[in-house]
């Protein structure tokens, strides 16, 4: 029965917006992609595409870049927070969509939504404690605990924790807030600035890989020791370098130094730390998952 | 009605075990304290005190030091894991208690239980996203997300994340697994080794305080950026030095560097980072809270 429902989804990313109609079975029936510009003009494009397609849908899921206020009890619910995309700062995203539809609206971060979609249809199917990390122009993460996305004061912002710096890394770090946090040292812009090229244009034995894997391995350890997931998914543009994933597992094992007894737990790092099961539709399906989970 | 229930609780600590009978209103009716020795002899003492007092109780809550297997679906559920207390390693705690009672048994880490008790009767009353950190002979933490204790692969082991080392700290670190993780650098034994005295025997302007506050401030940041709690509670023996708490808040603010917009969130660090509301009965009440939450 769930499979027959139709759900509208909006995935707001820093460079593009994906809108679509999905089914409860995780099939994408229609989709479009819109370049991200200022909020007013972008929202007009979203409305023009989506509004005529809402007739048979049960709700609109919105999976957005953060920071965003996700607490429905907050007067700022649905507002974008202090993003580097300054035109979007304080923009009341939820209200802008509410202007043209009475359907239920459910909003969360893109990464919390992706974690829920991976649980429903992807690499974490059936799991209840899952972390989804994206490594791209930034580093973000969604956390699902006991089957529900983690919210509270805000939402997870895992990319702004700080790793131990590697001694041979002299990059100051690219984060405007923290310099050398995980995002500042290991997201795409840090790789590009440090080595002059993106990772996928460097050979797999280039020291860039070992450094990237070490930082992401440290991040994996922090996540295993806080959220205690049974699936830890690494996605995003940087992870398209497929050599990286096994190196991250090795780095995580090195930093854990035997503290988690994987033999006793009956699981290996190969099962625990994985890449996404959903490809380019992950964000859109994440938006749909928000509506299904709330209905 | 909840208040009239009687619940048995067992808090297993590294140096002592507290057993007691509590009410659903959070009152402790009877309690005793037993020194922790090997598991067999300690369990006999627990049985001798508790078994005759179980008649009117609805269940037995067990709040234990970790690591402990907390997944009821695991064949190791209720076993102690790789603890430095070697006599307890692999001990089947739950089975040892099951031998003398048919009552419902609910088990969790001492710190997850303490977080639930603080939510029910203490400093986090009514909150749904809470972290409870204890800084004593080790550093542990319980996490409650959406009202439920965080479990998964294991349970949170936040003390084994690694902080950025301070340049004037030449301690190798005391953790047998990781050396200079948070526990290795900032728990009681690290303070004692580094300065030759516990914190409470040093003057408040001693550099030990600033160093301790910086490490715990970094830990606070990692927890705010993952679990996103609306209450972050610091308890344990080291926190009895009351000068420390405001210094931890300052250190957290310094490391966050404006990333969380507390003005927009309508909360100050004074409300967010606090000490426990429950005193010496926190563990015992935590054990009782486990039974109430499960019933």
């Amino acid at each position: 029965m769930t499979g027959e429902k139709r759900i509208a989804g909006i995935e707001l990313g820093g460079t593009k917006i994906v809108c679509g109609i999905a089914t409860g079975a995780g099939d994408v029936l229609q989709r479009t992609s819109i370049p991200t510009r200022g909020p007013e003009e972008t929202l007009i494009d979203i409305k023009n595409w989506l509004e005529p397609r809402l007739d048979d849908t049960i709700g609109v899921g919105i999976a957005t870049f953060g920071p965003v206020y996700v607490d429905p009890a907050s007067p700022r619910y649905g507002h974008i927070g202090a993003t580097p995309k300054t035109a979007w700062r304080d923009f009341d995203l939820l209200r802008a969509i509410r202007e043209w539809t009475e359907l239920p609206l459910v909003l969360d971060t893109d990464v919390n939504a992706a974690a829920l979609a991976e649980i429903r249809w992807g690499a974490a199917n059936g799991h209840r404690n899952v972390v989804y990390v994206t490594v791209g122009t930034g580093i973000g993460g969604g956390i699902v605990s006991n089957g529900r996305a983690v919210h509270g004061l805000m939402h997870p912002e895992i990319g702004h924790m700080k790793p131990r710096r590697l001694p041979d890394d002299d990059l100051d770090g690219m984060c405007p807030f923290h310099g050398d946090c995980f995002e500042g040292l290991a997201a795409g812009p840090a790789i590009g600035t440090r080595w002059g090229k993106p990772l996928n244009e460097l050979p797999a034995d280039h020291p860039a890989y070992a450094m990237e894997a070490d930082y992401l391995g440290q991040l994996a350890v922090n996540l295993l020791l806080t959220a205690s997931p049974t699936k830890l998914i690494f996605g995003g543009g940087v992870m398209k370098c497929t050599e990286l994933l096994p190196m991250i597992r090795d780095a995580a094992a090195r930093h854990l130094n035997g503290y988690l007894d994987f033999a006793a737990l009956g699981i290996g790092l190969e099962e625990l730390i994985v890449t996404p099961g959903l490809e380019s539709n992950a964000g859109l399906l994440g938006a749909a998952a928000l509506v299904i989970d709330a209905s």
Side-chain angles (χ1 to χ4, degrees), chain A:
Chain A
M1 203 168 77
T2 308
E4 292 162 12
K5 290 176 183 167
R6 288 178 173 222
I7 309 109
I10 306 171
E11 176 196 11
L12 283 97
T15 55
K16 66 171 182 179
I17 315 276
V18 177
C19 296
I21 305 293
T23 70
D27 298 312
V28 175
L29 303 176
Q30 303 177 60
R31 60 172 278 165
T32 192
S33 180
I34 296 163
T36 306
R37 289 147 298 148
E40 283 78 13
E41 52 198 313
T42 306
L43 263 289
I44 289 172
D45 286 353
I46 294 173
K47 178 188 176 190
N48 287 345
W49 191 87
L50 203 56
E51 193 185 20
R53 292 173 169 84
L54 289 179
D55 277 354
D56 298 325
T57 63
I58 63 165
V60 183
I62 304 145
T64 177
F65 60 78
V68 56
Y69 292 89
V70 290
D71 177 5
S74 162
R76 290 184 180 243
Y77 178 51
H79 291 233
I80 302 291
T83 168
K85 295 172 264 297
T86 49
W88 287 80
R89 240 177 238 187
D90 298 321
F91 180 65
D92 189 345
L93 176 61
L94 210 54
R95 182 169 162 182
I97 297 168
R98 178 56 76 213
E99 281 178 7
W100 44 268
T101 176
E102 293 296 317
L103 283 170
L105 303 180
V106 188
L107 173 142
D108 209 325
T109 64
D110 45 4
V111 278
N112 267 346
L116 293 169
E118 291 288 342
I119 287 173
R120 192 168 278 277
W121 302 295
N125 193 229
H127 287 252
R128 295 178 54 76
N129 298 282
V130 173
V131 178
Y132 180 98
V133 179
T134 180
V135 187
T137 52
I139 293 181
I143 301 179
V144 172
S145 178
N146 289 308
R148 298 190 56 187
V150 169
H151 299 154
L153 182 65
M154 279 292 283
H155 47 71
E157 285 281 4
I158 63 163
H160 295 278
M161 293 191 283
K162 287 186 179 176
R164 287 276 169 92
R165 291 187 67 106
L166 293 178
D168 52 342
D169 183 11
D170 56 8
L171 186 75
D172 285 340
M174 314 287 289
C175 173
F177 288 92
H178 309 114
D180 56 359
C181 59
F182 282 106
E183 179 166 300
L185 288 177
I191 298 170
T193 302
R194 189 188 289 116
W195 308 107
K197 286 183 180 178
L199 203 60
N200 62 0
E201 294 181 17
L202 296 166
D205 60 353
H206 190 283
Y209 279 82
M211 184 176 284
E212 183 71 10
D214 192 279
Y215 286 137
L216 297 182
Q218 290 189 52
L219 179 59
V221 168
N222 280 11
L223 295 168
L224 291 172
L225 296 177
T226 49
S228 202
T230 53
K231 283 286 179 191
L232 172 50
I233 301 170
F234 276 87
V238 171
M239 294 305 298
K240 297 206 188 303
C241 304
T242 53
E243 297 88 348
L244 205 51
L245 185 71
M247 297 174 74
I248 293 171
R249 292 179 186 134
D250 289 347
R254 198 166 63 241
H255 286 290
L256 280 169
N257 198 28
Y259 192 67
L260 291 176
D261 187 346
F262 291 107
L265 290 164
I267 187 172
L269 278 165
E270 302 71 25
E271 296 163 78
L272 183 61
I273 302 181
V274 299
T275 45
L278 304 169
E279 295 296 327
S280 58
N281 282 329
L284 184 57
L285 288 173
L290 294 174
V291 176
I292 297 172
D293 284 0
S295 68

